Amino acid sequence: MAQIIHRSTNLLKTVSAMRHLTTASTTPITVETSLPFTGHNIEPPSRSVETTPQELLSFFRDMVLMRRMEIAADSLYKAKLIRGFCHLYDGQEAVAVGMEAAITKKDCIITAYRDHCIFLGRGGTLMDAFAELMGRKDGCSKGKGGSMHFYKKESGFYGGHGIVGAQVPLGCGLAFAQKYSKDENVTFSMYGDGAANQGQLFEALNMAALWDLPAIFVCENNHYGMGTAEWRAAKSPAYYKRGDYVPGLKEITKSLSCETSMQVAKEHALKNGPIILKWTPTGIHELHVRPWKQYRTRVRLLVVLDRTLKRNRKEMRKGWMKSLQKLRI
Amino acid sequence: MAAMLQSFGVASASVAVSDHSIKLPAFSAPVIRSEARSISSPILGTRKTGKVTTKAVAAKAENPASAASKPGHELLLFEALREGLEEEMDRDPRVCVMGEDVGHYGGSYKVTKGLAEKYGDLRVLDTPIAENSFTGMAIGAAMTGLRPIVEGMNMGFLLLAFNQISDNCGMLHYTSGGQFTIPTVIRGPGGVGRQLGAEHSQRLESYFQSIPGIQMVACSTPYNAKGLMKAAIRSENPVVLFEHVLLYNLKERIPDEEYVLSLEEAEMVRPGEHITILTYSRMRYHVMQAAKTLVNKGYDPEVIDIRSLKPFDLYTIGNSVKKTHRVLIVEECMRTGGIGASLTAAINENFHDYLDAPIVCLSSQDVPTPYAGTLEEWTVVQPAQIVAAVEQLCQ
């Protein structure tokens, strides 16, 4: 355990060192995503993504910020300064960062209780987030909501919902309002693989498809629904196909591929109606932090942690630019 | 007093009711009723912009006879609801309706008839049979600023949407630290009908009453149906408007000019001296029928239609209790955990010293409503039982 901590502090040192690096040039470079997209009823976008070093660096910075925030929140939770429930997003940051890169603040995002990083991505400050987590009145919901109820109305972030799956019909409603007001924006309704088995999801899919609502349903598959593994809860884990008549896209999470698919999804949603996106982030933390219970064995957890950090550090030493490309961030 | 009163009973046939038109009573006694004579000058203190008022203030209508003397127009309760809805949709383009069969079919009780042709399919939206998600959809739309009205074909179906109504409708304003208001109206018919069976005869006011953050009102006449509908739509809070299946064909003459009622006020139906009878929705008519018998027997009941089920209009109720010192609650809700139970507790807590007798609460039996007509009749409170209860209380 001490070794892990030592290595993680080294990683953080690398990050702070990087802050001194001036933002790179904006010369476009082409990166290939690590895995091809798989499409259901839709042509998958190409693997080559055009980006700039500046964009890559900003992605990396945002993701590390989110990661550090979540680790800090975990420590606070274990120190009983954050009470109740604390659902952490580390390992899934690429989704939030990639999404923000593809959309504007006028587009709406709604998610379930794993909302800390999405809140940050939408423009929330660390102060707002931590104050809310610790129940202070300076929190984004004045301390009345807690971990599961982060909202930011002016940036189009609609929360922050405690009941699994209940946010998906709300997202459908946001899309309905966008269609009603005829503004050319979309709504991202995020949910997890656990919520993918909820009936209201299929009801919302049906309505969104029926009325061509600009709704994009994003399934973040971390293979666990609360405490139960995916293979024990879902007959068909191909969540992107569950829309049947609604097209779907599937990818392993990296922020560039997230960004691409979000752009594709946005165009599709504005023209043709709903679409499902499915991500498989490799969450490191227990999905629902309960200090007395682990969902994955400790050993496996440590192995994953160790591997990720080791890989990152090696890459950093080789030269950060190349390493960013290699990581296919 | 009794001679001036036009009262009638809803005994068995609902259609027969429409033959007796309800005249607006011209009282000489002060009328506790709020009436905005013109839309631009609401009576101060009763129309609050924004948040839920916990203390309802009833103001005296300055000209109680004015409404009765104006000609007005006659219509049925469902038409009054439609009129209110249409006026609000004309006034504010953000108001939209969604529900099953509200559009092309015109609404299962004809409340939205003709609106889809006038406003289009998006504004009067026919939803699939998916209460949970279309209620959620309405709430999501309300978060962005639209003002949706959700129609439950029968209130009982809204149990499927309980999570959305409780968590998202009721609590979002609080959990977001005030960032979002949810100006939805959830309405639909409930109550015991004409042998509709247990699942279609539910009274949901008792289930919803504990949800923090919502307001509940029950309409009983075309006049208050239109007024409450308009008030509910204009309110920034989520409001649940309870209608009754058997009251849709009531006929009444309502004013031509625009009026909005207060969501937190009770209605004085018949002032009296001996006993306060609190009721709402369909039981109002059973009470009024019992009142005829009681008057013949020499009693003088004061009948109040509480209208606002959450929060209670304790101002009006309290004044009445202080006058009569006896309370009888007549409701269609179940005995256990019903509106009457809460009302009993509230009156006991606040006006205990003014009571000369324990509060009696007549409610429906705690059973699923039977299909057989005779059995069904015995699960709801009948006028004879009301008369007996008053006689016993006033001994």
Side-chain angles (χ1 to χ4, degrees):
Chain A
M1 194 64 195
Q3 274 185 314
I4 304 292
I5 295 173
H6 172 68
R7 287 203 187 111
S8 61
T9 43
N10 278 352
L11 173 66
L12 298 176
K13 266 198 221 133
T14 321
V15 171
S16 45
M18 277 177 56
R19 245 189 259 134
H20 300 308
L21 293 164
T22 51
T23 334
S25 60
T26 50
T27 48
I29 51 174
T30 312
V31 181
E32 230 186 46
T33 61
S34 45
L35 283 179
F37 293 98
T38 320
H40 165 76
N41 289 349
I42 191 173
E43 194 57 42
S46 95
R47 278 177 74 174
S48 314
V49 180
E50 248 202 34
T51 179
T52 70
Q54 184 186 33
E55 190 180 38
L56 282 183
L57 190 58
S58 80
F59 282 0
F60 186 75
R61 190 194 173 279
D62 288 339
M63 282 171 38
V64 173
L65 182 71
M66 291 175 179
R67 175 68 62 93
R68 289 179 73 175
M69 180 182 85
E70 296 296 72
I71 305 286
D74 181 42
S75 312
L76 286 174
Y77 185 81
K78 294 196 161 108
K80 289 205 177 12
L81 286 165
I82 297 176
R83 307 307 299 268
F85 298 125
C86 189
H87 303 91
L88 300 174
Y89 203 70
D90 47 326
Q92 301 178 206
E93 307 91 343
V95 178
V97 166
M99 192 156 58
E100 286 303 325
I103 61 177
T104 70
K105 290 290 187 284
K106 290 223 168 63
D107 297 309
C108 305
I109 302 181
I110 191 169
T111 183
Y113 39 74
R114 214 172 292 281
D115 54 356
H116 305 164
C117 298
I118 316 262
F119 173 71
L120 275 194
R122 287 264 97 177
T125 63
L126 283 177
M127 177 62 126
D128 285 342
F130 279 108
E132 184 62 35
L133 286 173
M134 295 168 79
R136 304 286 194 258
K137 71 173 196 263
D138 293 314
C140 52
S141 300
K142 304 204 173 79
K144 297 181 179 178
S147 162
M148 297 190 281
H149 298 285
F150 282 24
Y151 304 87
K152 201 161 173 65
K153 186 174 184 181
E154 54 274 12
S155 314
F157 180 47
Y158 289 83
H161 295 273
I163 304 292
V164 170
Q167 77 277 9
V168 182
L170 287 186
C172 209
L174 298 175
F176 175 80
Q178 286 169 331
K179 187 174 173 121
Y180 192 97
S181 327
K182 295 193 182 57
D183 50 11
E184 296 285 302
N185 296 317
V186 295
T187 298
F188 287 84
S189 295
M190 304 175 70
Y191 59 96
D193 50 303
N197 299 319
Q198 277 260 328
Q200 45 192 333
L201 190 86
F202 296 94
E203 293 176 18
L205 270 174
N206 177 41
M207 293 199 293
L210 198 58
W211 301 316
D212 285 327
L213 300 181
I216 298 161
F217 298 93
V218 182
C219 174
E220 299 175 287
N221 181 8
N222 46 31
H223 304 295
Y224 280 85
M226 293 307 291
T228 306
E230 177 192 39
W231 60 272
R232 296 181 66 231
K235 183 73 178 171
S236 155
Y239 301 109
Y240 70 109
K241 283 194 189 157
R242 281 192 179 191
D244 186 24
Y245 37 79
V246 175
L249 269 186
K250 163 187 149 168
E251 228 285 346
I252 301 288
T253 304
K254 297 284 178 184
S255 49
L256 271 185
S257 39
C258 280
E259 186 191 355
T260 316
S261 57
M262 300 285 183
Q263 275 167 342
V264 165
K266 183 170 175 177
E267 281 157 26
H268 183 275
L270 283 173
K271 247 190 322 159
N272 305 333
I275 181 172
I276 304 179
L277 300 177
K278 181 194 149 188
W279 300 107
T280 312
T282 40
I284 286 179
H285 255 100
E286 293 96 20
L287 291 333
H288 172 170
V289 183
R290 287 185 197 144
W292 62 91
K293 201 175 193 305
Q294 307 271 352
Y295 299 130
R296 297 178 239 198
T297 59
R298 278 218 145 241
V299 172
R300 217 188 123 209
L301 210 63
L302 293 172
V303 165
V304 170
L305 192 61
D306 193 31
R307 223 188 286 149
T308 326
L309 292 170
K310 216 192 305 194
R311 202 190 320 140
N312 285 346
R313 232 171 18 116
K314 229 189 319 180
E315 300 294 337
M316 293 303 148
R317 266 194 248 116
K318 279 204 217 134
W320 64 271
M321 200 47 247
K322 222 164 156 219
S323 68
L324 281 180
Q325 288 190 49
K326 263 248 178 97
L327 283 174
R328 296 208 174 91
I329 281 187
Chain B
M1 187 68 85
M4 279 167 59
L5 182 69
Q6 303 270 0
S7 64
F8 65 105
V10 176
S12 38
S14 62
V15 183
V17 165
S18 55
D19 295 333
H20 308 267
S21 38
I22 313 166
K23 304 271 190 297
L24 284 176
F27 291 128
S28 55
V31 171
I32 316 291
R33 178 200 300 164
S34 90
E35 212 181 306
R37 269 167 302 136
S38 80
I39 180 70
S40 56
S41 60
I43 296 176
L44 288 171
T46 55
R47 294 268 303 134
K48 298 228 159 68
T49 51
K51 315 306 165 201
V52 180
T53 48
T54 48
K55 238 202 231 173
V57 178
K60 263 196 210 174
E62 276 145 40
N63 228 338
S66 66
S69 62
K70 287 206 171 68
H73 56 285
E74 227 178 32
L75 41 54
L76 305 177
L77 196 144
F78 72 87
E79 291 169 348
L81 286 168
R82 191 195 320 147
E83 221 178 68
L85 190 48
E86 204 168 336
E87 284 175 17
E88 290 304 305
M89 288 180 84
D90 276 333
R91 180 178 175 266
D92 189 343
R94 298 171 301 170
V95 178
C96 56
V97 185
M98 46 183 89
E100 296 158 18
D101 289 349
V102 295
H104 293 190
Y105 192 84
S108 43
Y109 292 93
K110 294 180 282 191
V111 174
T112 49
K113 190 162 179 189
L115 295 183
E117 286 86 47
K118 185 171 172 191
Y119 297 108
D121 278 346
L122 199 64
R123 257 187 112 180
V124 185
L125 189 68
D126 275 323
T127 61
I129 305 178
E131 281 79 7
N132 193 2
S133 43
F134 72 70
T135 309
M137 197 171 99
I139 296 164
M143 284 170 93
T144 63
L146 286 193
R147 306 182 81 89
I149 296 155
V150 175
E151 172 171 316
M153 191 183 274
N154 187 294
M155 272 305 205
F157 306 161
L158 290 180
L159 284 175
L160 287 161
F162 202 102
N163 173 51
Q164 297 289 353
I165 295 173
S166 162
D167 294 353
N168 295 331
C169 199
M171 302 199 214
L172 253 177
H173 181 67
Y174 185 84
T175 56
S176 65
Q179 286 180 62
F180 297 108
T181 55
I182 315 290
T184 42
V185 177
I186 297 171
R187 51 160 290 267
V192 175
R194 204 57 65 211
Q195 293 184 254
L196 296 174
E199 290 166 354
H200 293 72
S201 311
Q202 298 192 71
R203 284 125 282 177
L204 252 52
E205 48 267 25
S206 58
Y207 305 157
F208 286 164
Q209 66 175 323
S210 306
I211 299 175
I214 60 167
Q215 268 187 279
M216 304 197 316
V217 285
C219 62
S220 48
T221 66
Y223 177 78
N224 63 34
K226 179 176 172 185
L228 289 175
M229 170 73 100
K230 288 169 73 85
I233 296 172
R234 291 187 194 191
S235 166
E236 291 301 316
N237 297 313
V239 179
V240 186
L241 172 58
F242 290 93
E243 302 153 13
H244 198 286
V245 273
L246 293 181
L247 297 184
Y248 279 125
N249 288 325
L250 283 180
K251 194 187 284 194
E252 189 183 2
R253 180 164 287 271
I254 66 170
D256 284 327
E257 67 271 16
E258 198 173 2
Y259 67 95
V260 183
L261 294 177
S262 168
L263 287 176
E264 294 108 22
E265 264 185 34
E267 184 181 331
M268 178 70 72
V269 183
R270 180 193 190 281
E273 295 290 327
H274 292 163
I275 182 173
T276 300
I277 306 183
L278 301 171
T279 181
Y280 66 93
S281 193
R282 180 185 167 216
M283 286 298 117
R284 168 191 175 135
Y285 299 100
H286 279 209
V287 166
M288 294 313 291
Q289 190 179 14
K292 265 205 298 202
T293 316
L294 285 169
V295 160
N296 289 340
K297 292 193 176 185
Y299 295 98
D300 188 18
E302 177 154 295
V303 180
I304 295 178
D305 181 345
I306 60 174
R307 265 187 0 204
S308 170
L309 305 180
K310 180 174 179 174
F312 294 131
D313 181 4
L314 287 177
Y315 182 79
T316 310
I317 295 170
N319 284 344
S320 179
V321 172
K322 289 174 190 173
K323 185 166 62 158
T324 66
H325 310 295
R326 288 180 169 82
V327 180
L328 172 69
I329 300 171
V330 180
E331 56 162 0
E332 203 173 315
C333 230
M334 306 293 204
R335 184 68 190 86
T336 306
I339 297 289
S342 304
L343 193 49
T344 307
I347 297 173
N348 270 327
E349 270 171 29
N350 291 295
F351 308 113
H352 183 262
D353 287 335
Y354 297 97
L355 290 171
D356 283 347
I359 301 175
V360 174
C361 185
L362 294 178
S363 326
S364 298
Q365 306 290 318
D366 278 321
V367 293
T369 310
Y371 164 71
T374 39
L375 288 178
E376 184 188 63
E377 240 175 61
W378 278 104
T379 63
V380 267
V381 180
Q382 298 298 333
Q385 296 166 300
I386 303 173
V387 173
V390 171
E391 286 178 339
Q392 195 183 21
L393 260 180
C394 289
Q395 268 166 6

